[in-house]
């Protein structure tokens, strides 16, 4: 029995987990699809679930064969730099809206800088699912 167990250990290779890598060079700002990723041997810190990758945007250039990491990806941008956006501020029952210019790109839930076009004041706000920017309040 010991010989059989030793033989199995001797002839069995290492077991590798699968991870995800870029299947081609992907430029920053590109939204990844199923055809953009391939399975490779997993590495520490690499992503292995396709649902964590597909539909996300590349934050940096991704090179073919390199493992994908969470910090390389972000939600797809809803707001582009220099785009006109609606700024929303709420306080109690009062809701104010103003036109602003986005000073950076941002996806849903990300904080970006926006310049209020009327007052020329720069504020930080969170991008909402409809592309408006919530600049504060309750």
């Amino acid at each position: 029995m010991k010989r059989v167990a030793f033989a199995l250990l001797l002839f069995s290779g290492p077991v590798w987990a699968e991870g995800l890598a870029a299947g081609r060079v992907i430029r920053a700002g590109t939204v990844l699809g199923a055809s953009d990723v391939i399975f490779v041997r997993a590495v520490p810190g690499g992503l292995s679930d396709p649902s964590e990758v597909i539909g996300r945007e590349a934050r940096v250039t991704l090179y073919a064969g390199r493992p994908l990491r969470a910090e390389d990806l972000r939600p797809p941008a809803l707001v582009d730099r220099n785009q006109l956006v609606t700024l929303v501020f709420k306080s109690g029952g009062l809701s104010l809206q103003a036109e602003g210019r986005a000073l950076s790109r941002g996806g849903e839930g990300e904080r970006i800088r926006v310049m209020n076009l009327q007052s020329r004041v720069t504020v930080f706000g969170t991008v909402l699912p409809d592309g408006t920017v919530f600049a504060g309040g309750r």
Side-chain angles (χ1 to χ4, degrees):
M1 185 67 176
K2 287 182 183 179
R3 288 184 185 171
V4 172
F6 179 73
L8 287 174
L9 268 173
L10 185 64
F11 294 111
S12 67
V15 177
W16 300 106
E18 286 189 330
L20 296 170
R24 61 180 179 84
V25 175
I26 300 169
R27 297 180 66 183
T30 303
V31 177
L32 277 70
S35 63
D36 295 321
V37 295
I38 59 173
F39 285 97
V40 295
R41 184 171 45 179
V43 296
L47 298 173
S48 60
D49 184 3
S51 68
E52 296 176 312
V53 175
I54 296 171
R56 308 268 300 169
E57 181 179 298
R59 186 183 301 270
V60 296
T61 300
L62 305 172
Y63 295 97
R66 289 234 176 119
L68 298 174
R69 301 172 305 160
E71 55 269 16
D72 296 337
L73 306 171
R74 64 187 237 172
L78 297 173
V79 175
D80 286 320
R81 187 174 191 272
N82 288 325
Q83 179 179 332
L84 295 178
V85 297
T86 301
L87 277 170
V88 177
F89 179 83
K90 293 182 181 178
S91 180
L94 180 65
S95 177
L96 299 174
Q97 292 186 356
E99 189 174 37
R101 181 172 305 279
L103 300 178
S104 58
R105 291 174 46 100
E108 181 180 351
E110 290 185 313
R111 288 182 46 86
I112 62 169
R113 288 182 35 225
V114 179
M115 181 177 63
N116 180 326
L117 293 179
Q118 195 166 20
S119 68
R120 301 283 186 211
V121 172
T122 300
V123 297
F124 282 93
T126 303
V127 179
L128 300 177
D130 63 355
T132 61
V133 178
F134 183 71
R138 298 175 212 170

